[in-house]
Amino acid sequence: MHPEKEENLMERLKPYIYSISIVLCLGGFNIVSKVSLDRGMNQYVLVAYGFAFATLTSVVLALLFERKNQSKLSLPICLYIFFLGFLGVFARILLYAGIQYTSPTFAAAMNNLNPSVTFVLALLCRMEKLDVTKLNGQAMIGGTIISFVGATLMTLYKGITLISMHTTTHNHRHATSKVSLYRNLMKGSVLLLVQSLSISAYFILQTITIKKYPAPLTLTTLMSLAGTLIAIAATAILDHRTSSWRLSWDITLLAPLYSGILLFGISTYVQALVVRKRGPVFLTAFVPLSTVVVAIMSLLILGEALHLGGIVGGTLIIIGLYVILWGKEVEKRQKTLEPALCEEQDIEAKVEK
């Protein structure tokens, strides 16, 4: 392969590789967070530590790669950074609460609403255009619906057990009545729905901010710092116990390190690169994959069995994801061809004159 063509191919593949890496990090994050919360880790403290470690990580990266950053901070950008920190903290608290009421797989499945919610917000903000008469517009709508159906099937329908790592199912939850389980499911669903709206708003605002302040690492540092201060203030108001801040050499230390370094630090930076290059809808289109990743991790780590509903639902999610990405790719090609077509029409018009 020609070196230039190989380089162009790698540039085209980078957003896909980055997005899949983010999804893998998200999958592991759900599992680690669930185990940590079940062992008594305070959700507000976990958020605060996560953002604190993210700040330290992104500071190091910014000093290494963006030392010559000349982008200037203005009052509007500072306000954007504050609201990004607030949305990040708010969404993370809602996610932890939703995981406690439901399960990591359920929370990952609910995240499949993010592409459609983000797309609607992007339409309202005039960042995306949708022509339902064109095939690519219909593909994006249909792909989102298919992914949502697949996620719903994974959550509500189990079916027969196809794969299990244990002869008996290990369930660490306390036995509760069906009414309590239903109430918890409803509470968790509402929390995760609001979380989906919050994270979609975060993606939109991040896209706007990165265009005005094109320094992803420095921006990630400032967002993490704002999130740390907001999370500390929220924890101080909602939990007055100093013992809640104590960390041990176990999962309670791994969870904030994982969320801070891998998720809030490195993944947030990579996320900023993706949304700057391909937009927020492209990134959230990969979210359905996290449901499959979490289901597999739950099987291997938590010992949860894999049922027929999970496999069929996961297959639908992958199909829906492919359809959405195909629609986005067709849209991108059309935008690339439009200037050339307009130029050809101008030339033909001049020749006719």
Side-chain angles (χ1 to χ4, degrees):
M1 185 180 289
H2 196 275
E4 290 184 2
K5 290 184 178 180
E6 187 176 349
E7 186 177 348
N8 291 334
L9 178 63
M10 283 304 300
E11 285 298 319
R12 288 168 57 188
L13 288 176
K14 275 183 181 179
Y16 294 89
I17 296 171
Y18 289 160
S19 298
I20 292 172
S21 300
I22 292 170
V23 166
L24 292 174
C25 287
L26 279 172
F29 170 72
N30 278 18
I31 301 296
V32 171
S33 299
K34 175 62 176 175
V35 176
S36 177
L37 292 168
D38 284 348
R39 294 191 179 183
M41 184 76 176
N42 183 284
Q43 62 185 25
Y44 306 112
V45 173
L46 182 55
V47 173
Y49 273 128
F51 274 99
F53 285 125
T55 304
L56 294 175
T57 303
S58 52
V59 162
V60 174
L61 293 174
L63 290 174
L64 288 173
F65 300 109
E66 284 185 358
R67 192 177 301 175
K68 297 180 180 180
N69 172 39
Q70 296 181 347
S71 301
K72 294 183 180 180
L73 286 170
S74 61
L75 182 59
I77 293 174
C78 289
L79 288 174
Y80 289 156
I81 290 170
F82 171 80
F83 283 114
L84 281 169
F86 174 79
L87 285 171
V89 171
F90 185 61
R92 199 57 56 191
I93 290 173
L94 290 174
L95 176 62
Y96 290 152
I99 288 176
Q100 283 183 300
Y101 279 118
T102 56
S103 68
T105 304
F106 187 91
M110 290 294 289
N111 278 338
N112 291 288
L113 291 174
N114 289 355
S116 56
V117 175
T118 304
F119 187 65
V120 171
L121 289 178
L123 284 174
L124 294 175
C125 296
R126 297 183 180 180
M127 297 173 66
E128 292 281 345
K129 293 181 180 180
L130 178 65
D131 189 350
V132 293
T133 61
K134 292 184 178 180
L135 189 59
N136 65 297
Q138 296 168 1
M140 285 187 280
I141 294 174
T144 301
I145 294 172
I146 293 170
S147 293
F148 179 78
V149 170
T152 304
L153 183 63
M154 287 185 71
T155 304
L156 300 181
Y157 174 71
K158 285 189 176 182
I160 60 173
T161 302
L162 297 180
I163 303 174
S164 179
M165 300 296 291
H166 305 281
T167 55
T168 58
T169 303
H170 295 278
N171 190 353
H172 298 287
R173 295 182 183 179
H174 297 290
T176 54
S177 66
K178 290 184 178 180
V179 175
S180 297
L181 287 173
Y182 179 75
R183 287 177 180 173
N184 287 342
L185 184 64
M186 292 304 296
K187 289 178 183 177
S189 298
V190 172
L191 290 170
L192 292 170
L193 279 171
V194 179
Q195 189 263 347
S196 178
L197 180 61
S198 302
I199 204 68
S200 297
Y202 177 91
F203 286 141
I204 296 295
L205 185 57
Q206 185 186 47
T207 305
I208 296 171
T209 308
I210 198 69
K211 289 180 180 178
K212 295 180 179 293
Y213 191 81
L217 285 172
T218 306
L219 181 61
T220 301
T221 302
L222 295 173
M223 288 189 300
S224 300
L225 179 60
T228 302
L229 297 176
I230 293 169
I232 290 174
T235 307
I237 294 170
L238 299 171
D239 188 349
H240 305 288
R241 298 172 298 174
T242 55
S243 59
S244 298
W245 293 89
R246 190 179 297 116
L247 294 175
S248 304
W249 291 98
D250 53 16
I251 192 70
T252 58
L253 177 61
L254 176 62
L257 281 174
Y258 188 105
S259 63
I261 297 175
L262 276 179
L263 195 66
F264 292 154
I266 297 174
S267 291
T268 301
Y269 166 62
V270 175
Q271 176 181 295
L273 294 178
V274 175
V275 297
R276 183 174 64 175
K277 191 174 183 65
R278 298 299 299 268
V281 176
F282 177 87
L283 178 63
T284 53
F286 282 84
V287 171
L289 276 177
S290 66
T291 308
V292 181
V293 172
V294 172
I296 295 172
M297 287 185 173
S298 297
L299 170 69
L300 299 176
I301 298 173
L302 302 180
E304 294 182 0
L306 201 59
H307 299 84
L308 177 63
I311 294 177
V312 175
T315 303
L316 287 174
I317 287 171
I318 297 297
I319 293 172
L321 170 64
Y322 176 80
V323 172
I324 293 172
L325 292 178
W326 180 84
K328 289 295 294 180
E329 194 65 29
V330 170
E331 182 184 52
K332 183 185 176 184
R333 289 176 185 173
Q334 289 176 347
K335 288 181 179 179
T336 305
L337 291 173
E338 279 177 4
L341 290 173
C342 291
E343 189 176 343
E344 287 182 7
Q345 290 174 357
D346 290 339
I347 293 173
E348 289 176 358
K350 289 179 181 178
V351 170
E352 288 177 1
K353 288 180 181 180

